[in-house]
Amino acid sequence: MTNSVVDWEYAPAPESEAVARVKERYLPYIDGKFIEGGGDDLITVNPGRGEDLATVSTVDDADLDTAIAAARRAYEGPWSKLSGAERGKYLFRIARGIAERARELAVLESLDNGKPIKETRDFDVPTAAQHFFYHAGWADKLGYLGYGPNPKSLGVAGQVIPWNFPLLMAAWKIAPALAAGNTVVIKPAETTPLSILVLAEIIADADLPPGVVNIVPGAGDVGASLVNHPGIDKVAFTGSTAVGKQIQQSLAGTGRKLTLELGGKGANIVFADAALDQAVEGIVNGIFFNAGQVCCAGSRLLVQEPVAEELLLRLKDRAETLRVGDPLDKNTDVGAINSSAQLTKITELTQAGVDEGAEVWRSSCPLPDRGFYVTPTILANASATMRIAREEIFGPVLTVITFRTPDEALAKANNSPYGLSAGVWTEKGSRAMAMAARLQAGVIWDNTFNRFDPAAAFGGYQESGFGREGGPAGLAAYLDTDDEAVLG
Amino acid sequence: MASTVIHDASRPKGPEPGAPKGPEPVQGPPAPFADVVADQSSLRRFLDGLPGVDPVALEQRAAGLATRSIKKQSKLTAIDLAISMVDLTTLEGADTPGKVRNLVRKALQPDPEQPDTPRVAAVCIYPDLVPVAAEALAGAERTGTKIKIASVATAFPSGRAATSVKIADVRSAVEAGADEIDMVIDRGAFLAGNYAKVYEEIVAVKQACGAARLKVILETGELATYDNVRKASWLALLAGGDFIKTSTGKVSPAATLPVTHVMLQAVKDWKRLTGQQRAVKPAGGIRTAKDAIRYLVAVREVAGPEWLDPYWFRFGASSVLNDLIMQRRTQQAGHYWGADYVTVD
């Protein structure tokens, strides 16, 4: 019989760049208008090619004052007076607007962020729309959250979001704030300001009253001015632990409400009785989804010794099939790293792991000549003392540690200043429940990883922050309740 | 009969690892698994000890791979490959010699207007019609790829007959010229936990097959869980099945992508542990070229590119062939064709 195996490679299947309708220049959105900001222009880069993508006008302190004053007027004026059902209508409109422009947003996000079109198309954009749909439904039902018959909104929320899920984080922040009756001044990340400015167009098309949502692009200094501005009633920040700590310090004594969603070093714990092939899928999803640039990434794999060898073999085999490259190609599994700065950070920390004696494996998948890319990497035989076992890497680099007993797994998983996410893989339900009860993490997945739903609360412990986003708990963060830190 | 097919480790070992040629002499499984089939309790311990299959993650992976975008030359290559992997099937009570002759002509020349269209891999028919197919195919290997005659046997599709009857069924098909036998496992015995009975029957059928390659139909729609699909796959591999096949096509659901993923993973694991490559055949429910290409993506990414060959992967189907032909013409002509331009046989 013939053994003529057909050489079958996938032809490039790029999504059309024109769909994104990238403009040369993007403007801040303040008081219902797109205006030239007073700050220095910033240039946002397409990390997939390492070339400039668009120019964005940024705000200065005067613009910020204008934006916050507009948000205050909108709050005192129409917005806080509207019935919940009326607010809900606007949110439904925004949700539909996102769905209608889904393809454009997906391509734009992929261009600006570097994540594969497969993820923006199937995850980021639809989930962003879902967040608006979900919270639209709550707007007229706040009295049923368990905070009294008529819980009060807070006022003006100052929000700062990261670059790893630009549109989704915007939805994650804006939707509950508006549903609860607040107005918003939000700053996108310096490297990914475009999709939220398209969201601004959707918001404008939805006829939201001027000033209810204000978008103020800029660098870290704008974020600092925003969260410290006296006109703000509530601060919500998602980003690095270092910046989160600064915010907490500077807000101490102001009486302002604060939620922080910071870094993580998620433990993905695989017991010997786990469904191994699917555990492999969960590990891959945990660390290679969005190229590992996920705060809840499962960057520490804890595997029980009897299956460690077998699991690693299967994991490497599977990771080898990941297609790294052009974010716009529909068959790309792992896209670009968001910035050259992040690329340097990942490379440096990975090298530290190698120098400290971890056994390094890298996928043989070729990388594009241009742009910021990291090969999927596994660092096996790691120990808790190594930097790669303790520091957040925010890249497609997995650290593998073994354990013998459930207690040892718990001790190792909890031995981290972070406490955001964890995964448990076992076919034994009682063990999964027992682990979940003792794991110090805000989000614990059982036989799955990196699954998100607007109805589920998300948030962390310790250096991963505090406060919850999503679900009824997430709404509470935008209402006058005593469920979380008030920095008084 | 039972005592003759239980093996001990002292039996001769299998052929050279990876050797695809010819029939494997009937014997126990290769070294790593020789003890596994020693008796019912060892077999149960082994099969029940296989890692479980988590449906959520499995289905997520299958759905994810199904979004692969196959364009241009890679699509054309996939279509031709898929055509060459089709087991063109008719399994109706109403089958006649005329129907089978038409099927054979279609198999030999799927698209008369495009003579470069590859031939299918095999025709799949009931045992009593094997002589008709053999006559219709006589000499055809001189004009192109040899088309195999595959015949269902073992009281297909229910499998509810005495082992001796099943063996006789297989023998008659082989003697009439079948190159491949598609058997059904005893699902009742499997679901009752009587793995040894299923094992012994497969071994006995394999022996009766002689040089014919054996496809073991698990009828996954009746096994119901992915855990069972994995166990039955391993059982069939241990017993010497050349192919593991999803379905008869008579039970719904027939082949699905997640089920095929589990089976592809099983043959991949089997090769890693024994060095022997075995084949996979999803059957039933694959109707469009798009479906077929999704299966090929799964073959490539779950089992590996070395399975992208009609010897190692087949589609049990009938209607998919016409859609493949239509898509093939579309790729070449740049516009769509109506179904009326493709022959109905």
Side-chain angles (χ1 to χ4, degrees):
Chain A
M1 181 62 211
T2 61
N3 212 2
S4 57
V5 171
V6 174
D7 178 23
W8 187 44
E9 226 342 291
Y10 306 154
E15 181 56 276
S16 162
E17 202 174 321
V19 173
R21 298 197 289 171
V22 180
K23 296 187 285 193
E24 265 178 43
R25 187 172 180 77
Y26 288 79
L27 301 178
Y29 181 67
I30 294 174
D31 202 11
K33 294 181 290 288
F34 290 94
I35 57 139
E36 283 287 345
D40 296 335
D41 283 353
L42 70 80
I43 290 176
T44 183
V45 171
N46 171 354
R49 296 207 201 105
E51 60 192 31
D52 295 352
L53 181 63
T55 306
V56 180
S57 166
T58 70
V59 301
D60 62 7
D61 284 343
D63 297 326
L64 211 50
D65 289 340
T66 312
I68 292 166
R72 176 65 56 194
R73 271 197 312 279
Y75 178 72
E76 306 288 351
W79 195 246
S80 62
K81 309 280 192 297
L82 282 183
S83 70
E86 287 297 316
R87 289 200 308 276
K89 276 192 203 167
Y90 285 107
L91 290 176
F92 276 123
R93 251 183 243 168
I94 297 169
R96 286 196 299 269
I98 294 172
E100 278 162 18
R101 293 176 73 174
R103 189 153 169 244
E104 174 192 353
L105 282 165
V107 178
L108 183 66
E109 193 80 312
S110 198
L111 284 169
D112 198 22
N113 171 278
K115 62 173 68 192
I117 185 77
K118 179 172 110 172
E119 288 180 16
T120 58
R121 178 194 66 197
D122 298 343
F123 177 72
D124 292 69
V125 177
T127 314
Q130 273 171 25
H131 270 270
F132 278 99
F133 275 120
Y134 174 82
H135 286 98
W138 270 116
D140 60 351
K141 302 173 193 73
L142 299 178
Y144 302 93
L145 280 169
Y147 300 106
N150 188 22
K152 295 282 176 291
S153 53
L154 295 170
V156 178
Q159 305 175 323
V160 178
I161 56 171
W163 46 259
N164 57 344
F165 294 93
L167 179 71
L168 180 57
M169 287 301 111
W172 215 335
K173 291 275 186 289
I174 296 172
L178 299 192
N182 304 276
T183 56
V184 163
V185 180
I186 183 167
K187 187 197 91 70
E190 194 179 354
T191 58
T192 55
L194 300 191
S195 56
I196 195 174
L197 291 170
V198 171
L199 178 64
E201 294 175 16
I202 292 168
I203 286 170
D205 289 344
D207 275 336
L208 207 69
V212 174
V213 174
N214 303 272
I215 296 164
V216 289
D221 57 321
V222 175
S225 302
L226 173 59
V227 299
N228 289 305
H229 199 285
I232 296 286
D233 301 301
K234 146 88 188 176
V235 171
F237 172 79
T238 297
S240 73
T241 296
V243 176
K245 282 180 178 171
Q246 285 170 20
I247 293 174
Q248 194 172 3
Q249 276 165 9
S250 67
L251 290 195
T254 61
R256 228 168 276 165
K257 268 187 121 170
L258 172 66
T259 41
L260 294 174
E261 206 269 88
L262 310 175
K265 193 74 192 174
N268 213 347
I269 305 164
V270 180
F271 285 97
D273 70 337
L276 280 191
D277 293 319
Q278 286 72 47
V280 165
E281 289 308 309
I283 297 161
V284 165
N285 194 22
I287 190 62
F288 300 125
F289 173 64
N290 199 15
Q293 303 166 106
V294 184
C295 49
C296 54
S299 53
R300 280 185 301 159
L301 171 62
L302 300 180
V303 53
Q304 204 164 16
E305 284 187 15
V307 291
E309 205 179 321
E310 165 104 18
L311 184 80
L312 263 183
L313 197 132
R314 285 170 187 270
L315 179 62
K316 288 172 183 171
D317 225 34
R318 171 71 174 87
E320 188 65 31
T321 68
L322 291 169
R323 305 169 67 86
V324 188
D326 179 9
L328 282 190
D329 193 308
K330 292 172 200 161
N331 292 327
T332 293
D333 298 312
V334 180
I337 300 301
N338 181 246
S339 64
S340 64
Q342 185 59 23
L343 178 69
T344 309
K345 215 186 113 195
I346 296 168
T347 314
E348 188 268 327
L349 191 49
T350 307
Q351 190 53 45
V354 177
D355 295 345
E356 284 178 283
E359 186 185 298
V360 65
W361 175 92
R362 290 187 174 94
S363 154
S364 69
C365 184
L367 300 185
D369 308 332
R370 294 182 303 165
F372 316 135
Y373 294 91
V374 172
T375 308
T377 304
I378 297 171
L379 295 166
N381 286 337
S383 65
T385 55
M386 297 179 182
R387 279 180 63 202
I388 40 136
R390 311 197 60 78
E391 296 178 23
E392 183 175 41
I393 188 151
F394 232 62
V397 181
L398 178 70
T399 303
V400 186
I401 300 166
T402 59
F403 69 90
R404 295 160 296 176
T405 64
D407 279 347
E408 189 182 351
L410 265 175
K412 285 182 166 169
N414 288 343
N415 179 19
S416 163
Y418 294 112
L420 186 54
S421 71
V424 181
W425 295 84
T426 170
E427 289 287 276
K428 189 164 177 164
S430 60
R431 182 182 292 137
M433 292 302 121
M435 290 294 289
R438 292 165 69 200
L439 277 166
Q440 287 164 14
V443 184
I444 298 164
W445 285 291
D446 177 16
N447 287 343
T448 190
F449 211 92
N450 269 349
R451 297 269 259 188
F452 306 91
D453 191 290
F458 184 94
Y461 280 82
Q462 301 192 116
E463 295 213 352
S464 293
F466 47 77
R468 294 291 176 263
E469 298 185 288
L475 272 165
Y478 289 94
L479 291 168
D480 190 8
T481 64
D482 56 1
D483 68 303
E484 65 184 70
V486 177
L487 301 172
Chain B
M1 158 134 284
S3 63
T4 64
V5 292
I6 294 290
H7 306 284
D8 61 71
S10 63
R11 296 282 293 266
K13 298 288 186 288
E16 285 305 299
K21 289 189 171 58
E24 288 172 24
V26 175
Q27 59 189 321
F33 301 108
D35 295 338
V36 164
V37 297
D39 52 40
Q40 168 85 303
S41 61
S42 321
L43 198 50
R44 276 189 74 154
R45 266 198 306 279
F46 175 76
L47 293 176
D48 291 344
L50 288 168
V53 182
D54 183 75
V56 175
L58 172 67
E59 287 165 13
Q60 196 180 0
R61 160 95 159 131
L65 268 190
T67 68
R68 287 279 190 239
S69 184
I70 306 301
K71 302 281 184 210
K72 302 193 174 75
Q73 184 55 46
S74 61
K75 187 169 183 180
L76 201 52
T77 307
I79 288 170
D80 278 3
L81 183 58
I83 292 173
S84 74
M85 288 171 163
V86 168
D87 279 6
L88 196 61
T89 302
T90 183
L91 293 170
E92 293 163 21
D95 284 344
T96 57
K99 166 100 186 179
V100 170
R101 279 192 286 268
N102 279 337
L103 191 78
V104 167
R105 281 190 208 110
K106 179 81 168 182
L108 287 167
Q109 198 169 60
D111 186 356
E113 293 177 34
Q114 301 284 330
D116 63 335
T117 308
R119 287 178 173 180
V120 303
V123 290
C124 184
I125 50 180
Y126 272 114
D128 62 322
L129 291 164
V130 170
V132 179
E135 195 191 333
L137 278 168
E141 67 272 17
R142 288 195 296 274
T143 55
T145 315
K146 179 173 162 49
I147 293 184
K148 304 278 195 261
I149 300 173
S151 182
V152 297
T154 70
F156 180 95
S158 72
R160 297 252 71 94
T163 305
S164 56
V165 175
K166 295 182 185 179
I167 299 297
D169 197 12
V170 171
R171 289 219 170 98
S172 82
V174 172
E175 280 160 18
D179 305 294
E180 298 173 355
I181 295 296
D182 292 34
M183 74 170 286
V184 289
I185 65 164
D186 184 340
R187 283 88 75 192
F190 182 89
L191 291 169
N194 194 353
Y195 300 146
K197 174 157 196 290
V198 183
Y199 174 82
E200 284 156 16
E201 207 165 77
I202 300 171
V203 171
V205 170
K206 172 73 183 159
Q207 203 155 21
C209 280
R213 289 176 89 202
L214 175 63
K215 306 197 188 96
V216 182
I217 303 175
L218 312 180
E219 196 64 302
T220 53
E222 290 182 346
L223 300 186
T225 68
Y226 297 122
D227 288 337
N228 277 347
V229 173
R230 169 167 285 174
K231 285 178 203 175
S233 299
W234 273 85
L235 191 55
L237 294 169
L238 287 165
D242 297 296
F243 274 82
I244 46 178
K245 174 175 168 184
T246 60
S247 324
T248 59
K250 306 290 185 193
V251 165
S252 184
T256 67
L257 276 171
V259 155
T260 309
H261 270 236
V262 174
M263 292 166 61
L264 287 166
Q265 191 69 51
V267 294
K268 184 190 175 83
D269 289 342
W270 180 263
K271 184 172 183 183
R272 177 164 61 81
L273 295 167
T274 68
Q276 297 175 356
Q277 190 162 343
R278 301 285 177 87
V280 176
K281 176 178 171 186
I286 303 157
R287 296 202 172 81
T288 64
K290 199 170 214 167
D291 287 340
I293 291 172
R294 285 176 177 158
Y295 278 88
L296 292 183
V297 167
V299 172
R300 185 180 185 277
E301 300 204 30
V302 179
E306 63 267 40
W307 268 266
L308 287 172
D309 184 293
Y311 194 79
W312 299 120
F313 192 77
R314 296 278 178 81
F315 293 106
S318 46
S319 60
V320 74
L321 182 58
N322 269 359
D323 197 53
L324 285 164
I325 291 167
M326 214 148 47
Q327 293 301 328
R328 191 175 189 275
R329 287 199 199 168
T330 302
Q331 289 299 306
Q332 290 175 336
H335 60 85
Y336 280 92
W337 295 74
D340 289 344
Y341 295 88
V342 179
T343 59
V344 175
D345 301 270

